[in-house]
Amino acid sequence: ASFRAKDLVKQILTFSRQVEGQKNPIQPALIIKEAITLLRSSLPTTITINQDIAADVGMVLADPIQIHQIVMNLCTNAYQAMEGSAGRLKISLEPALLNDGGVLGTGAQLVPGAHLKLTVSDTGRGMDEEIMKHIFDPFFTTKRRDKGTGLGLATVQRIVTELKGGILVESALGRGTTFTIYLPAAEEAGKPVNRA
């Protein structure tokens, strides 16, 4: 309960922008792999984790805690969507070159150029269109009171927006959900800052 409370306070502070992290060029692959290691020990054996993380994918300008929060929130939601049944959680990170930027599903206008593409998908129960309209609303949740706060996806969206990225969501009832996040690549000249 104390760990859940600590995580909730972190998310509330992140969401309200009262806590601003130090942004540096970081290698998100290292942070994502660390998060997957933490997840693997807490998920039931009925959930298979597949990862395809390119080690030399590049860097983003971010606070390592922000990347960690994105991955943990998306993967926690994915697990809860598959709870009680066997399922597969897939996490991938790869480079993506956007030629004309464009508007993603959340209305984010991305700048053309090099990006990192993080994809988290599950084989859970999926969502209908009505639920998808509200998933980024603060405190909106379809979970039981003891299972979720409704801040996870709102926090993810806030972080991604702050990092000048965008989110695309694809889902259908009975077919699972896929979140695709695009983050602008950072200049390679900076020295990577790894999470302690």
Side-chain angles (χ1 to χ4, degrees), residues 6 14-15 21 28 30 43 47 53 57 78 83 95-96 106 108 120 164-165 194 196:
K6 182 180 91 172
T14 298
F15 184 75
L30 301 176
L43 295 183
I47 306 294
I53 312 294
V57 72
E83 200 169 21
T106 54
V120 176
K164 301 186 180 356
N194 298 330

Side-chain angles (χ1 to χ4, degrees), residues 148-177:
T149 62
L151 282 175
L153 291 179
T155 300
V156 169
Q157 184 187 42
R158 177 63 62 94
I159 292 170
V160 171
T161 301
E162 186 182 323
L163 299 179
K164 301 186 180 356
I167 308 172
L168 183 64
V169 186
E170 300 169 276
S171 187
L173 284 174
R175 296 186 181 176
T177 302

Side-chain angles (χ1 to χ4, degrees), residues 114-135:
H115 285 71
L116 274 62
K117 177 181 169 185
L118 170 65
T119 306
V120 176
S121 63
D122 65 67
T123 56
R125 53 187 172 271
M127 298 177 283
D128 61 27
E129 288 183 19
E130 190 57 36
I131 289 176
M132 285 181 65
K133 289 177 188 174
H134 301 285
I135 59 173

Side-chain angles (χ1 to χ4, degrees), residues 23-29 31 57-64 66-67 93 114-117 163 182-188 191-193:
K23 292 183 181 62
N24 291 294
I26 59 169
Q27 294 180 344
I31 299 159
V57 72
M59 295 188 290
V60 295
L61 191 63
D63 178 344
Q66 292 177 313
I67 303 300
L93 180 69
H115 285 71
L116 274 62
K117 177 181 169 185
L163 299 179
Y182 292 89
L183 297 174
E187 295 294 327
E188 295 293 327
K191 185 180 178 182
V193 177

Side-chain angles (χ1 to χ4, degrees), residues 18-174:
Q18 292 176 14
V19 171
E20 290 287 342
Q22 182 69 36
K23 292 183 181 62
N24 291 294
I26 59 169
Q27 294 180 344
L30 301 176
I31 299 159
I32 294 167
K33 286 181 179 181
E34 176 188 294
I36 292 171
T37 301
L38 287 172
L39 283 164
R40 196 177 298 277
S41 63
S42 61
L43 295 183
T45 55
T46 55
I47 306 294
T48 303
I49 300 178
N50 298 126
Q51 59 175 306
D52 184 11
I53 312 294
D56 58 351
V57 72
M59 295 188 290
V60 295
L61 191 63
D63 178 344
I65 293 171
Q66 292 177 313
I67 303 300
H68 194 266
Q69 278 190 306
I70 289 171
V71 175
M72 294 301 285
N73 280 322
L74 291 180
C75 290
T76 299
N77 274 12
Y79 155 64
Q80 289 173 343
M82 298 183 285
E83 200 169 21
S85 61
R88 185 177 72 254
L89 172 61
K90 184 174 181 184
I91 305 151
S92 66
L93 180 69
E94 60 187 336
L97 184 61
L98 301 181
N99 295 323
D100 59 356
V103 176
L104 290 183
T106 54
Q109 177 72 43
L110 298 181
V111 176
H115 285 71
L116 274 62
K117 177 181 169 185
L118 170 65
T119 306
V120 176
S121 63
D122 65 67
T123 56
R125 53 187 172 271
M127 298 177 283
D128 61 27
E129 288 183 19
E130 190 57 36
I131 289 176
M132 285 181 65
K133 289 177 188 174
H134 301 285
I135 59 173
F136 295 112
D137 293 349
F139 305 108
F140 174 80
T141 182
T142 59
K143 301 166 192 158
R144 295 192 331 247
R145 186 172 288 180
D146 63 333
K147 288 290 184 181
T149 62
L151 282 175
L153 291 179
T155 300
V156 169
Q157 184 187 42
R158 177 63 62 94
I159 292 170
V160 171
T161 301
E162 186 182 323
L163 299 179
K164 301 186 180 356
I167 308 172
L168 183 64
V169 186
E170 300 169 276
S171 187
L173 284 174

